[in-house]
Amino acid sequence: YSYSYLMIADDSKGHELSLSCVPKHYEEDLDSVIIPNGLIKDRTERLARDIIRDMGGHHIVALCILKGGYKFFADLMDYIKTLNRNSDKSVPLTVDFIRLKSYSNDQSTNCVKVIGGDELSALTGKNVLIVEDIVETGRTMETLLKLLNECHPKMVKVVSLLVKRTPRSSGYRPDYIGFEVPDKFLVGYALDYNEYFRDLSHICILSDSAKEKYKV
């Protein structure tokens, strides 16, 4: 079963910052709000429903990719728990966390380091849901899936809140996608730039001047 996603067009200007609540300290650093928080939440609720429909027959181990994925992960788990409470059938759910290091400033590097990867062996025979915030080139996820498959899980599905349309893409696509977004540098809702902007509730387009300002 192939699920659809919400596509944000390349020429989308987003919404003016003045129409939303944006922390004062970031007002000069953002061009526009491209995905408001309410739309993120609504899409996440629908993803939870689709995931339960596909994976709901068995115990799910939800694997959160830190740090970026934590906000999406927390909201997605809340929606899955709500479905569990209010449906005739429910599914046992446990969580685990992993860190992948593949970023240096705003260029996605080819170096992928898995932190906490020793614990992947515990996923043998399990139904695993990998929860990611954004897929850009797809190479990071392909590396993780290769490592994970060596542990012989029963099933692996990947959900990503965002997938970036980029010529650098390897062609990899997650099983579940919240939004397909233009090849712009996005921050907010736990997407960071050198650790800044995680405290922004909307997903916004970062201004060029801010890239210099927050450069490490």
Side-chain angles (χ1 to χ4, degrees):
Y1 189 94
S2 178
Y3 290 104
S4 55
Y5 49 84
L6 210 157
M7 191 177 101
I8 310 291
D10 284 337
D11 59 358
S12 173
K13 297 279 187 287
H15 311 281
E16 287 178 36
L17 297 177
S18 60
L19 297 173
S20 302
C21 292
V22 172
K24 198 94 183 127
H25 55 275
Y26 289 146
E27 280 180 354
E28 303 299 312
D29 306 322
L30 306 167
D31 284 342
S32 63
V33 174
I34 198 163
I35 311 175
N37 183 263
L39 186 55
I40 298 169
K41 293 277 177 69
D42 191 61
R43 190 73 194 101
T44 304
E45 186 175 13
R46 179 60 204 231
L47 287 169
R49 205 165 94 184
D50 293 343
I51 288 162
I52 287 294
R53 182 188 293 160
D54 291 350
M55 300 182 76
H58 311 275
H59 173 185
I60 298 172
V61 179
L63 189 62
C64 175
I65 301 194
L66 296 171
K67 296 180 183 177
Y70 81 88
K71 188 81 183 77
F72 174 50
F73 182 81
D75 287 342
L76 183 67
M77 292 306 108
D78 282 346
Y79 285 124
I80 289 176
K81 285 175 197 166
T82 301
L83 286 170
N84 264 345
R85 284 198 303 270
N86 298 305
S87 306
D88 292 333
K89 61 173 192 173
S90 61
V91 54
L93 184 72
T94 54
V95 302
D96 207 348
F97 299 88
I98 192 169
R99 274 192 77 179
L100 304 176
K101 207 76 177 126
S102 68
Y103 255 60
S104 174
N105 285 330
D106 63 345
Q107 292 302 309
S108 193
T109 61
N110 289 328
C111 174
V112 177
K113 188 178 176 191
V114 179
I115 301 164
D118 297 337
E119 297 150 23
L120 292 180
S121 56
L123 301 173
T124 303
K126 301 278 176 53
N127 286 334
V128 182
L129 175 69
I130 299 173
V131 182
E132 175 66 291
D133 56 351
I134 186 165
V135 169
E136 299 199 35
T137 66
R139 291 187 189 92
T140 304
M141 189 55 70
E142 285 174 331
T143 302
L144 177 59
L145 289 171
K146 211 176 286 177
L147 285 169
L148 200 52
N149 284 328
E150 288 170 10
C151 302
H152 306 293
K154 185 175 178 184
M155 177 199 291
V156 180
K157 297 274 189 188
V158 178
V159 56
S160 184
L161 178 65
L162 308 174
V163 170
K164 196 175 270 194
R165 279 190 306 279
T166 168
R168 303 187 308 279
S169 171
S170 67
Y172 169 77
R173 303 284 286 182
D175 301 284
Y176 310 97
I177 299 168
F179 302 87
E180 191 185 84
V181 294
D183 194 6
K184 295 175 179 168
F185 206 93
L186 306 177
V187 292
Y189 189 72
L191 289 175
D192 75 299
Y193 180 59
N194 292 330
E195 300 301 328
Y196 291 95
F197 302 101
R198 293 192 197 275
D199 53 341
L200 181 61
S201 58
H202 313 291
I203 293 174
C204 300
I205 299 174
L206 188 68
S207 69
D208 290 336
S209 60
K211 283 189 188 179
E212 287 304 311
K213 181 176 166 184
Y214 294 99
K215 206 168 191 174
V216 171

